Amino acid sequence: MTDNSRHVPVMLQRCLDMLAPALAEPGAVVVDCTLGLGGHSEALLATFPAARLVALDRDKEALRLSGERLAPYGDRATLVHAVYDELPEVLDRLDIPRVQGVLFDLGVSSMQLDEADRGFAYAQDAPLDMRMDQTTGISAAEVLNTYAPGELVRILRQYGEEKQAKRIVSAVVREREKEPFSNSARLVELIRDSLPQAAKRTGGNPAKRTFQALRIEVNGELSVLERAIPAAVKALAVGGRIAVLSYHSLEDRLVKQVFAAGAANTAPPGLPVVPERYQPRLKLLTRGAELPTEEEVAENRRAAPARLRGAERVREDVS
């Protein structure tokens, strides 16, 4: 299996259909904010031959592999080493004032899950790293070994929605005093041992929520997303469209809030005519969040938690 063939882009056709009305015109620019192994990007370039692609990723290995994959498209594809909240600076550097399409495929990429030495997956033993960009920041092991117990409990509850956070953290603190954590298998075993039987019977691998929480903390994912979604909406030209794939409720809630605020009429109640500056900036393209089909989930189990939301820019900001 090659590096690229193992990656099945989630809800690919639905994303393409959602962005299509904005990308037909020559000179349209579409931004893939989460390049990964380039599955969505390749499909965008192939489906919209008049469009130019700008693609961001914080993972240098992902950029290298995608660069090989997208090489046939030549200068239609510009790949940038950046975190997606850096979108305004990237567009500024490239002298692109507005874009016609933006795609986010959030969460951890297939490549990062499949590379054993990255420490993202709880199913195989690996160093507890979890950094999407391995050139910067602190690892998951450092978080486990150095954070105060109260802070660890907060992270597991907030980012992992882990009801047993206190039990797990008590065990972590006890064990790290004997020997610092370095590998994932020890953490998985500790979580299994510290949970009550009833908690082990539901929701798949009991380590899943803790690993999600550590990954979000290590990569600052939610704070980055809080800045990135409004910035992406702001970068859209009128008629431009944004599609966002989320994989857990915290991401999806954040996207929903930004889209709902953009689609709201902000006029004070009782005005007979709503002035331009209070009119909605966005039109929602999805009723709630769209889910993958049963067929897609059967084909690609990583699609199961996906939630897709889309919006179209319908007017400029008026100060």
Side-chain angles (χ1 to χ4, degrees):
M1 195 189 279
T2 66
D3 280 309
N4 292 334
S5 64
R6 70 179 175 212
H7 174 55
V8 183
V10 172
M11 297 181 78
L12 177 60
Q13 193 55 51
R14 187 66 192 99
C15 289
L16 295 173
D17 292 346
M18 191 177 279
L19 295 171
L23 299 181
E25 293 299 310
V29 176
V30 59
V31 182
D32 184 347
C33 285
T34 46
L35 174 63
L37 283 174
H40 284 108
S41 276
E42 185 177 44
L44 287 165
L45 287 162
T47 308
F48 307 109
R52 174 187 172 190
L53 170 85
V54 176
L56 281 53
D57 208 292
R58 62 167 89 181
D59 189 323
K60 287 187 172 176
E61 182 62 6
L63 286 163
R64 184 185 69 77
L65 292 167
S66 295
E68 293 170 7
R69 182 176 191 163
L70 303 179
Y73 296 96
D75 61 5
R76 285 182 58 211
T78 304
L79 311 190
V80 185
H81 181 231
V83 186
Y84 42 72
D85 66 338
E86 298 173 276
L87 177 62
E89 292 84 353
V90 170
L91 294 178
D92 212 30
R93 281 204 305 274
L94 295 171
D95 207 19
I96 299 172
R98 288 298 176 93
V99 302
Q100 281 64 46
V102 180
L103 174 68
F104 284 87
D105 182 12
L106 300 169
V108 65
S109 79
S110 300
M111 181 197 76
Q112 288 159 341
L113 284 171
D114 291 339
E115 298 293 330
D117 62 352
R118 301 296 289 271
F120 285 98
Y122 37 80
Q124 49 198 344
D125 191 24
L128 273 169
D129 192 310
M130 299 196 195
R131 289 173 298 165
M132 291 179 182
D133 180 351
Q134 290 188 299
T135 64
T136 184
I138 67 167
S139 69
E142 288 174 82
V143 170
L144 277 178
N145 293 328
T146 65
Y147 276 31
E151 189 64 0
L152 285 174
V153 170
R154 180 191 68 78
I155 288 164
L156 264 57
R157 280 187 179 151
Q158 192 177 339
Y159 298 159
E161 298 175 282
E162 175 55 80
K163 294 186 178 72
Q164 306 293 333
K166 271 193 162 171
R167 277 178 187 254
I168 293 168
V169 170
S170 293
V172 165
V173 171
R174 190 172 62 245
E175 286 299 313
R176 77 186 186 186
E177 282 170 8
K178 298 177 193 170
E179 187 191 338
F181 283 88
S182 60
N183 275 50
S184 56
R186 183 176 167 217
L187 178 60
V188 171
E189 192 180 339
L190 175 144
I191 292 165
R192 279 190 199 282
D193 291 348
S194 56
L195 292 184
Q197 279 306 120
K200 290 186 219 183
R201 283 197 289 269
T202 57
N205 191 309
K208 178 179 170 182
R209 291 178 294 277
T210 296
F211 271 63
Q212 174 181 296
L214 288 170
R215 191 198 82 216
I216 290 172
E217 172 65 17
V218 164
N219 296 291
E221 287 174 47
L222 289 175
S223 53
V224 167
L225 191 61
E226 268 175 29
R227 295 186 292 272
I229 300 292
V233 167
K234 202 170 181 183
L236 286 175
V238 171
R241 291 181 162 212
I242 178 171
V244 185
L245 281 162
S246 308
Y247 294 86
H248 59 76
S249 58
L250 298 166
E251 290 174 340
D252 182 54
R253 196 178 310 145
L254 214 152
V255 176
K256 176 185 176 181
Q257 285 166 352
V258 174
F259 284 6
N265 170 345
T266 57
L271 291 185
V273 177
V274 177
E276 177 80 6
R277 69 179 181 276
Y278 297 128
Q279 299 275 8
R281 307 283 172 267
L282 296 178
K283 178 179 83 177
L284 301 181
L285 300 173
T286 45
R287 287 173 66 97
E290 288 188 11
L291 310 181
T293 61
E294 286 176 19
E295 293 77 24
E296 180 171 5
V297 173
E299 205 175 290
N300 177 14
R301 62 187 172 76
R302 286 184 186 158
R307 303 285 180 271
L308 175 65
R309 292 183 187 270
E312 179 181 339
R313 183 77 185 244
V314 291
R315 70 181 70 238
E316 287 289 359
D317 287 323
V318 180
S319 53

